[in-house]
Amino acid sequence: MPPRQPVPETVRIEAQKATQVLMNRVVRGDVDAAFKHMNPDWRKIEARKNGGEAALAKKFREGFASLKAKGVELRATEAKMPVMAYEVDFGHQKQVINGVSTKIGVYKQWMVFVPTSSMVIARDHGVVPPKEVQMLLKSFQIAISEKGKNDWTFIDGAHITATELRQLFPFLPPSEKDLGFPKRGGQVLKK
């Protein structure tokens, strides 16, 4: 296997921009955007766990509806500049070298960890007067695109583990620390 090369800054910027576009759609209420732009290989894994693709899509919609019914609203999200990115999807490609057709090992996709900061409002209408809590949530999106294209798909990084990600890309470092996952967590800003 060839060693991984550094991911160019231009690729990381494109991943950040694509993540922001997706997050803007979700903030505006397009709950299907997250499902439609989910990485197709990851969607297959999640669909197997959830009784098929239709059941997974239904679970997505119900999850968003449940949060809304509980008074949780996503107000804004910002995609930050990615630091960690990898070449992934090792395979073989035919190339002509010195007039001879040969197979060489290459990485076919980019994978970029795009940190996100989200402003969330939670309202409790069960008390008088209604109580509102503002929270800042830090997470990340895993943006994946075939090299040479700017067509990004995503995996939500909120709860993913290194082991789960290695189901797709087995040659990644085995631990979350070695992978360089962005920080996840939250804090209450205002009660």
Side-chain angles (χ1 to χ4, degrees):
M1 272 180 45
R4 286 188 172 90
Q5 299 302 310
V7 176
E9 183 178 15
T10 55
V11 171
R12 291 184 286 129
I13 290 169
E14 290 303 322
Q16 177 190 16
K17 287 178 183 177
T19 301
Q20 188 66 59
V21 168
L22 173 67
M23 299 307 286
N24 288 346
R25 289 179 64 185
V26 173
V27 168
R28 286 193 303 268
D30 184 356
V31 296
D32 290 330
F35 185 77
K36 288 178 195 171
H37 294 284
M38 183 187 293
N39 178 268
D41 295 326
W42 184 250
R43 185 169 41 222
K44 287 177 191 171
I45 290 170
E46 290 296 298
R48 278 195 299 268
K49 290 188 223 173
N50 289 281
E53 200 162 310
L56 179 62
K58 182 179 177 187
K59 182 179 176 182
F60 253 72
R61 285 187 204 99
E62 288 174 349
F64 279 105
S66 172
L67 288 173
K68 189 173 182 178
K70 291 176 183 174
V72 178
E73 178 186 344
L74 180 62
R75 278 281 174 93
T77 299
E78 181 183 3
K80 307 281 189 175
M81 181 61 183
V83 175
M84 290 303 296
Y86 292 91
E87 290 183 302
V88 292
D89 193 15
F90 181 78
H92 291 92
Q93 184 178 48
K94 284 186 181 180
Q95 283 192 352
V96 177
I97 302 172
N98 296 330
V100 178
S101 179
T102 185
K103 285 185 178 181
I104 61 166
V106 296
Y107 292 100
K108 298 183 263 182
Q109 295 184 63
W110 299 118
M111 180 179 71
V112 182
F113 298 155
V114 182
T116 59
S117 290
S118 301
M119 176 66 69
V120 176
I121 306 293
R123 292 183 185 89
D124 182 357
H125 295 288
V127 295
V128 178
K131 187 185 274 188
E132 183 174 286
V133 177
Q134 292 181 8
M135 296 173 282
L136 179 66
L137 303 179
K138 292 190 179 288
S139 188
F140 64 98
Q141 290 288 318
I142 302 169
I144 301 167
S145 179
E146 189 176 323
K147 285 186 172 184
K149 297 184 178 180
N150 191 16
D151 186 18
W152 296 91
T153 60
F154 301 90
I155 299 172
D156 184 11
H159 304 289
I160 197 163
T161 65
T163 302
E164 290 172 323
L165 193 54
R166 284 172 54 92
Q167 291 177 64
L168 288 181
F169 306 114
F171 301 116
L172 288 172
S175 77
E176 291 174 27
K177 183 181 176 195
D178 292 338
L179 270 171
F181 279 174
K183 289 185 179 181
R184 297 179 270 202
Q187 68 184 73
V188 174
L189 298 176
K190 183 180 169 187
K191 284 187 177 187

